[in-house]
Amino acid sequence: MSRSAASRANRRGEPPPSPEPLPSPALDSHTHLDIVLGERPADGEHGEWADDDAVDAEIAAAVAVNVPRLVQVGVDVASSRWSAALAERHPNVLAAVALHPNEAGAGAAIDDALAEIDRLAALPRVRAVGETGLDRFRTGPEGWAAQEASFREHVRIAKRHGSALVIHDRDAHEEILRVLDDEGAPEHTVFHCFSGDAVFAKACVERGFVLSFAGTLTFGNAGHLREAAALAPVGQLLVETDSPFLTPAPYRGRPNASRLVPHTVRALADVTGVQLEELCAHLTANAERVFGSW
Ligand SMILES: [Zn+2]
Ligand SMILES: [Zn+2]
């Protein structure tokens, strides 16, 4: 998800307390630490990047609950550069780089920007291209052609570098499958914040895609997500926060952070019937298969 308006709307109230640590290491496959920690200077005129100490403290809080692996996700050129630099200096973090579908829909996916994403994708600790995809909720029909063109270019960049592809899918399930089937999906394709039902999950699983579940899995009205998670093979599951968005129950609406992902891991254990410790081991193995080792 992006950007500052949504970010502010999701950051009401005090940060929730850290949950009990997981019994085995797991991960957060999708976070925006730059947005968690501040108003990033997207236009160069306001905001400040979080300082290294604040970022390190945030990561340490995740490590303290047995979440030692994070994927930091960029949504534009500036945050993609920041993500790549963080992954370069911090052993617990790998990076994903991209122009977000809503940025692309607003005209950001110009040649220079895509060339910079391509350059960043070649860096050794940048292991995924994303988040990219289609967002038919925040972008109106006038932006759909630009959004799809950008998505197709991101698929090509991921394949060129042998990187994972991280998909943002908002109200666009069938359209995304159409583009992926047409372009040929990269070997490792992740649906971040999976939002489909069992039927769509089956279509993704059959194609070998990985479903990454966010705090939405814990929401009372998310029966369709729990059905989707229950039918996916455990080898095709990941978990994430998409922090600072999508804070899991019982803290829905308060600021999210990677250290809260254990709530979602525990919910996923309940839904899948896989014992918690075993699930953590699967999630870590899946992450290392998709993104490579940290
Ligand atoms: Zn997203
Ligand atoms: Zn995101």
Side-chain angles (χ1 to χ4, degrees), residues 1 30 100 131 168 192 242:
M1 202 185 279
H30 190 114
H100 191 282
E131 53 187 297
H168 170 103
H192 119 75
D242 199 19

Side-chain angles (χ1 to χ4, degrees), residues 1-2 30 32 75 100-101 131 135 167-169 192-193 240 242 246:
M1 202 185 279
S2 86
H30 190 114
H32 303 279
V75 297
H100 191 282
E131 53 187 297
D135 188 318
I167 304 273
H168 170 103
D169 164 16
H192 119 75
C193 187
E240 65 173 76
D242 199 19
L246 306 177

Side-chain angles (χ1 to χ4, degrees), residues 11-93:
R11 288 195 286 162
R12 288 197 200 103
E14 287 296 300
S18 287
E20 192 185 324
L22 289 166
S24 286
L27 77 149
D28 182 357
S29 81
H30 190 114
T31 181
H32 303 279
L33 281 163
D34 52 324
I35 309 178
V36 168
L37 289 164
E39 289 298 320
R40 58 204 184 78
D43 58 8
E45 288 173 10
H46 62 83
E48 260 178 47
W49 295 107
D51 63 48
D52 287 357
D53 289 349
V55 174
D56 291 358
E58 196 66 35
I59 297 166
V63 173
V65 294
N66 230 346
V67 179
R69 291 175 179 80
L70 277 58
V71 180
Q72 159 66 27
V73 180
V75 297
D76 57 13
V77 166
S79 62
S80 292
R81 284 182 180 141
W82 187 87
S83 301
L86 174 60
E88 184 59 40
R89 79 165 180 82
H90 204 298
N92 296 101
V93 179

